[in-house]
Amino acid sequence: MSAAVEGEVRVFAEYERDFTEEADVVVVGSGPCGAVVAHELTARGKRVVLLEEGPPFTPQDFELDGALSMTRMMREAGLRTTRGTIIPTMQTIALGGGSLVNSAICVRPPDFVFEGWEEYAELEGTRRSDLDPHYDAVEAFLGIALTPDELQGQRNLLFRDGCDALGIESEPIARNVRGCRGSGECFTGCRARAKQSMDISYVPAAIKAGARVLTSVQVQEVLSDGRRATGVRGQVVEPFSGRRSHRFRIDAKAVVLAAGCMATPVLLQKSGNLANGSGQVGRNLQFHPGIAVLGIFPEKVDPGFGATQGYQSLAFLREGYKLETLWAPAAILAVRFPGFGHDLKKRLAQVPYAANWDAIATCHRSLGTVRARRGASLDPILTWNFDPEDAQVLGGALYQIARIFFAAGAKTILPGVHGVPDEMHSLEEADVLRTRRYAASDFVTASNHAFCTTRMHGDPAKGVVDPRGRAHEMDGLFLVDTGIFPRCTSVNPMLTGMALAHRSAQAVADEL
Amino acid sequence: MPSAWGLSAGLFAATLLGWAVWRVFGGFPHAKRPGLVLAARELAFLAAAADATYPEGGSDLPSGTQAGIPAYADRYVAAVPRSVGILMRLLFFLVEHATLVFSAPGRGGRRRFSSLSPEQQGAVLEGWRTSSLFPRRLVFSSLRAILTMGFFSDPVVLRALHLGAKQIDSPIVEADLLYPAIGAHPRTIAYEREDLVARSGVPLAADAPLHPDHAEQMQ
């Protein structure tokens, strides 16, 4: 029985028995990278099957409560953490992947990031100028544009004002939105349907061009015949419960893995340690650890209104961090307030006056691994260690955020770091953020930007894929998620992942 | 035949064990409503922790139990994978019973958390929060996050702070012709191509910013 016909999407309620499919290309994962490849190949006339383990979410499926939303849309209920240094990290399980619940930030990294890639990983053809045509194509398709002032809200504009007062370069963030209303609901699903997440942009376009899209299907093994990838197999899974049922197999001339930086290496490991002669599959895990500081202003900020993340500063990228504004649900803002009882309840009245800004750090020294578990689970075992020098970089970022807050007129900041006062009322008080020697455990940090676990490298002995995502050791196997980055991007990675995927689509088409 | 000494020692040990079991598991108030997954003793702990963090009175905001924190935590534990739920329940158990070993300050401090006075409960939580040991701070952060999320899930709290969710109509887009609600069959998709603009009354390019004072949508 064929499970899908061209130009259709299948959902859990439609699977009745085991099935097999044939295609030119099977793409595993419908996040930003997989969706781009599926669309580009379908547009070139290839027969494409796009597989996604999660279901499609419609506005009536969105849950506004952040915690309950995570239990529905994230693997391991959004509570996945690393061993070693504990850092929470999330992975979405939904059609459209992380694009459904990210804040739509689209940034091209500066030249020096790519120059670093070329030097570090002995690459050719990965300069910014090589990738610009692919960035252009993705930006045009998604309507990526700078966030206008009228959608920023005070939370974002105060950041701009603080940067301006200090002479720090800042800029509105470019986002993949059309018709944004500043509702600040990017993280739980855009009810205004303004965010151009993959489920309402690239995936429908691929379907219209003839792609077959199967949702609620879990790929458990990549099939191969000698050096050639020949397809995938797995099982249908029920949304939310993850209960497995019917089996399926997709035979294809090419297999494209876009399951994400954590799932792709697990899949390769579970498939007989495929494409891992270099021993690099699952190694070199990098994050952009992030920290947030809360600032309290004398005037109302209305932190719920405005683009989820509308302003950023790239001025400190060479020093190892990026500064940006951040929306957070009221509960997360309130968690930062110290104290208990009546004192705490009085402080909660300050929530409407609060703004939340954050930093993400480039941490090349802090590395980890992704390993498959024994048994049937596809959840990874993650290990990561936060290097003390990288922790110091994050401390420097904290101080810069404090400077910007006070320059913007904040009366109090709450840095949320162990070992320093809960509240600071002046830049002089905040000076300890600059001078303190930090331990990794001083920070409450998190990261949803993850990289490098199947890295590209010019030398097949040191990497898993070439610059076009083609596996060094296998024919017909391509990897196209952020796992192939040789090092982190220092800025939000979605757009770069999509640009690389856009380029890889041509390489896949050439090989067929 | 056991000796008289052995019998006495056995009886003493059994009494001690019974006392310890009672201290850990006994004497909890019955829950008004049974939890989805949490036991009465866990709901009692959550109620104590909720009211220690957000007591009654002092502002327009409700108390932790009035805001429904224990029921929220119960729903949350029920929604997460079983292995994660077990860890969360262990966390509740740990904080509830740690004061049987590490006494809370003040008279009668060697009791379960839920049996301590509000001042002692506050002091205990502050001890977890400011501990020099990272795992203790992590336990506190996790508990505090659950309590706070539960508190802010109450529409009364959100309304009092003017932080309620905005009423937003979702425009119909092409994807709505493709995907049914989760668990439903595609034949339940009600939209047609002509609905892309008309049905919701919200144009596709809804580019007008949503004003912060937009009417709040409350349950």
Side-chain angles (χ1 to χ4, degrees):
Chain A
M1 174 215 169
S2 182
V5 295
E6 284 189 6
E8 281 199 1
V9 56
R10 287 290 164 117
V11 297
F12 178 74
E14 295 177 273
Y15 298 107
E16 294 172 344
R17 57 182 71 93
D18 296 354
F19 62 89
T20 59
E21 294 266 343
E22 280 186 20
D24 292 330
V25 185
V26 58
V27 180
V28 181
S30 68
C33 302
V36 167
V37 170
H39 173 259
E40 292 303 315
L41 288 171
T42 311
R44 286 171 168 82
K46 306 304 178 190
R47 294 179 306 134
V48 174
V49 172
L50 174 61
L51 305 178
E52 169 54 51
E53 186 174 338
F57 277 73
T58 64
Q60 59 187 307
D61 300 312
F62 293 153
E63 164 65 66
L64 281 176
D65 180 287
L68 296 177
S69 173
M70 288 196 305
T71 65
R72 293 162 63 83
M73 300 179 93
M74 300 292 176
R75 293 176 190 277
E76 301 175 58
L79 300 173
R80 176 183 284 178
T81 59
T82 57
R83 299 177 181 179
T85 305
I86 294 174
I87 184 170
T89 183
M90 295 182 213
Q91 187 182 9
T92 315
I93 178 165
L95 186 68
S99 67
L100 213 65
V101 289
N102 71 9
S103 49
I105 297 178
C106 295
V107 196
R108 299 188 194 197
D111 289 340
F112 76 83
V113 169
F114 295 104
E115 287 161 11
W117 282 18
E118 284 205 337
E119 185 181 348
Y120 177 75
E122 303 167 32
L123 297 169
E124 288 181 3
T126 53
R127 296 232 163 198
R128 165 74 183 266
S129 54
D130 298 316
L131 293 177
D132 273 342
H134 304 285
Y135 281 114
D136 291 343
V138 173
E139 289 183 357
F141 185 92
L142 292 176
I144 293 168
L146 298 178
T147 306
D149 275 1
E150 59 268 29
L151 288 171
Q152 293 284 3
Q154 280 297 96
R155 170 171 41 83
N156 293 312
L157 292 176
L158 285 166
F159 177 87
R160 178 198 63 187
D161 295 346
C163 287
D164 287 350
L166 295 169
I168 296 172
E169 275 187 35
S170 67
E171 61 199 40
I173 291 176
R175 301 179 305 148
N176 53 312
V177 299
R178 294 183 198 271
C180 175
R181 304 167 72 194
S183 59
E185 292 183 5
C186 288
F187 294 152
T188 51
C190 180
R191 284 189 296 161
R193 317 306 296 277
K195 181 166 59 172
Q196 297 301 293
S197 50
M198 298 305 109
D199 58 320
I200 66 170
S201 57
Y202 268 106
V203 172
I207 292 169
K208 192 182 281 185
R212 288 165 281 173
V213 178
L214 309 184
T215 65
S216 294
V217 289
Q218 180 188 65
V219 174
Q220 296 161 344
E221 185 181 0
V222 177
L223 303 172
S224 59
D225 182 6
R227 270 184 59 99
R228 170 158 285 282
T230 59
V232 299
R233 70 176 167 206
Q235 284 179 274
V236 172
V237 289
E238 186 179 51
F240 309 136
S241 75
R243 195 160 48 237
R244 292 165 170 167
S245 58
H246 310 297
R247 295 182 183 280
F248 71 87
R249 192 184 78 233
I250 314 290
D251 297 320
K253 297 172 189 165
V255 176
V256 177
L257 297 185
C261 174
M262 312 215 178
T264 290
V266 167
L267 200 47
L268 292 172
Q269 290 165 359
K270 290 268 186 184
S271 305
N273 210 18
L274 212 58
N276 194 22
S278 66
Q280 297 299 316
V281 170
R283 298 184 64 185
N284 314 302
L285 173 64
Q286 286 189 17
F287 289 111
H288 282 158
I291 39 146
V293 178
L294 201 66
I296 311 294
F297 287 86
E299 306 294 330
K300 263 194 175 180
V301 173
D302 278 318
F305 174 69
T308 301
Q309 296 191 269
Y311 244 87
Q312 65 185 5
S313 171
L314 306 182
F316 302 97
L317 275 191
R318 284 188 183 274
E319 289 167 46
Y321 56 89
K322 172 189 180 236
L323 304 179
E324 57 193 18
T325 59
L326 178 64
W327 176 92
I332 298 301
L333 299 177
V335 161
R336 186 58 63 82
F337 287 99
F340 301 94
H342 295 301
D343 177 50
L344 174 61
K345 285 176 75 176
K346 276 183 198 157
R347 287 172 185 271
L348 293 184
Q350 296 179 321
V351 170
Y353 297 79
N356 202 23
W357 300 340
D358 76 286
I360 58 173
T362 305
C363 294
H364 292 319
R365 289 163 290 219
S366 304
L367 299 174
T369 59
V370 176
R371 284 187 293 128
R373 293 176 194 272
R374 287 182 186 167
S377 172
L378 292 174
D379 291 332
I381 298 172
L382 304 174
T383 305
W384 181 74
N385 291 295
F386 199 7
D387 185 275
E389 292 307 311
D390 286 337
Q392 285 306 117
V393 171
L394 216 46
L398 271 177
Y399 177 70
Q400 288 299 345
I401 298 175
R403 284 184 72 211
I404 299 168
F405 263 125
F406 286 118
K411 59 177 185 174
T412 306
I413 64 164
L414 290 80
V417 180
H418 177 66
V420 304
D422 294 320
E423 296 177 301
M424 298 173 178
H425 306 285
S426 67
L427 193 55
E428 290 70 35
E429 282 183 50
D431 196 52
V432 65
L433 297 173
R434 182 177 61 84
T435 58
R436 179 179 166 77
R437 187 74 196 167
Y438 292 96
S441 58
D442 288 342
F443 298 106
V444 177
T445 183
S447 181
N448 297 321
H449 301 173
F451 315 92
C452 309
T453 54
T454 52
R455 72 181 183 187
M456 65 170 88
H457 203 288
D459 182 350
K462 295 178 183 172
V464 183
V465 298
D466 71 12
R468 276 156 177 81
R470 186 188 292 109
H472 283 304
E473 293 179 17
M474 298 284 296
D475 296 325
L477 178 64
F478 291 81
L479 314 184
V480 299
D481 50 48
T482 60
I484 70 170
F485 292 10
R487 303 179 95 172
C488 66
T489 42
S490 303
V491 299
N492 311 65
M494 178 176 73
L495 186 62
T496 299
M498 296 173 86
L500 285 168
H502 189 269
R503 186 167 77 161
S504 290
Q506 184 61 53
V508 178
D510 290 345
E511 186 155 316
L512 291 173
Chain B
M1 287 285 288
S3 67
W5 185 90
L7 195 62
S8 301
L11 278 173
F12 178 73
T15 305
L16 200 62
L17 182 65
W19 177 81
V21 168
W22 185 86
R23 287 295 296 264
V24 173
F25 294 109
F28 287 96
H30 291 289
K32 287 176 187 165
R33 279 186 298 180
L36 296 170
V37 289
L38 296 182
R41 63 177 182 279
E42 292 165 314
L43 294 170
F45 161 72
L46 284 163
D51 283 343
T53 308
Y54 306 105
E56 189 172 2
S59 75
D60 294 340
L61 300 174
S63 71
T65 49
Q66 287 166 346
I69 289 176
Y72 177 90
D74 188 36
R75 287 199 304 276
Y76 188 37
V77 174
V80 300
R82 190 166 173 272
S83 58
V84 178
I86 290 170
L87 288 175
M88 292 167 75
R89 297 175 76 171
L90 279 173
L91 184 150
F92 302 153
F93 183 89
L94 180 64
V95 180
E96 168 73 340
H97 294 100
T99 43
L100 292 178
V101 181
F102 303 102
S103 176
R107 188 180 171 84
R110 200 175 292 280
R111 290 182 291 165
R112 290 183 304 230
F113 179 88
S114 57
S115 300
L116 298 171
S117 70
E119 293 73 24
Q120 288 173 311
Q121 289 171 340
V124 169
L125 291 176
E126 184 67 5
W128 285 93
R129 187 179 82 88
T130 57
S131 173
S132 59
L133 300 173
F134 176 68
R136 283 195 76 197
R137 298 202 303 276
L138 193 62
V139 164
F140 172 80
S141 301
S142 304
L143 176 63
R144 176 74 176 265
I146 294 168
L147 299 175
T148 310
M149 290 187 301
F151 192 62
F152 278 85
S153 72
D154 184 8
V156 176
V157 172
L158 294 172
R159 192 180 298 131
L161 295 172
H162 304 288
L163 293 169
K166 305 293 188 295
Q167 186 163 1
I168 296 174
D169 296 321
S170 299
I172 309 302
V173 299
E174 285 202 351
D176 294 310
L177 314 182
L178 297 169
Y179 316 136
I182 294 172
H185 196 277
R187 62 175 167 263
T188 62
I189 295 173
Y191 299 113
E192 305 287 344
R193 187 150 289 278
E194 56 267 27
D195 294 321
L196 285 178
V197 179
R199 184 168 297 195
S200 71
V202 179
L204 262 177
D207 53 1
L210 190 71
H211 193 273
D213 295 330
H214 195 288
E216 291 174 351
Q217 181 182 31
M218 295 299 171
Q219 297 296 320

